Amino acid sequence: MGNHQSSDQMKNDLEIMLSKINALEIIAGDEFQKGTVKVLRALVNNQIHSVSEFDHLKKALDLLTLEIFEVKTKVNSL
């Protein structure tokens, strides 16, 4: 399995893409190009949101796992 990028690196890459998309909007000549830019911007923004939500889910899972181990330790000590 290959190495995965960290969420910070993925967010940084997506922010760079968003900057490029914003630059494309400036040079968009017709309505089709402008519409394409809007779609691309929405996709990148949603991907940034998904990466952030995944980080929150990972933290919640870590906290839940910690709580499970603490409860298991208390039950075993009885």
Side-chain angles (χ1 to χ4, degrees):
M1 203 175 235
N3 292 336
H4 293 280
Q5 288 182 329
S6 69
S7 60
D8 290 335
Q9 182 62 43
M10 289 188 332
K11 286 180 194 175
N12 187 44
D13 291 347
L14 289 166
E15 290 292 338
I16 290 170
M17 276 190 229
L18 196 55
S19 296
K20 291 177 181 181
I21 290 169
N22 290 335
L24 283 173
E25 184 178 32
I26 295 170
I27 62 169
D30 58 18
E31 289 303 314
F32 175 77
Q33 291 174 344
K34 290 177 184 178
T36 303
V37 167
K38 287 180 182 179
V39 170
L40 289 172
R41 183 181 294 114
L43 290 171
V44 170
N45 280 328
N46 287 335
Q47 189 66 29
I48 291 170
H49 179 73
S50 294
V51 170
S52 296
E53 286 300 312
F54 185 71
D55 278 344
H56 292 290
L57 290 172
K58 281 181 12 185
K59 289 177 187 176
L61 186 58
D62 288 343
L63 290 172
L64 181 60
T65 303
L66 181 62
E67 288 296 320
I68 289 170
F69 282 124
E70 287 179 8
V71 168
K72 184 178 177 182
T73 302
K74 288 180 183 177
V75 167
N76 287 338
S77 67
L78 293 176

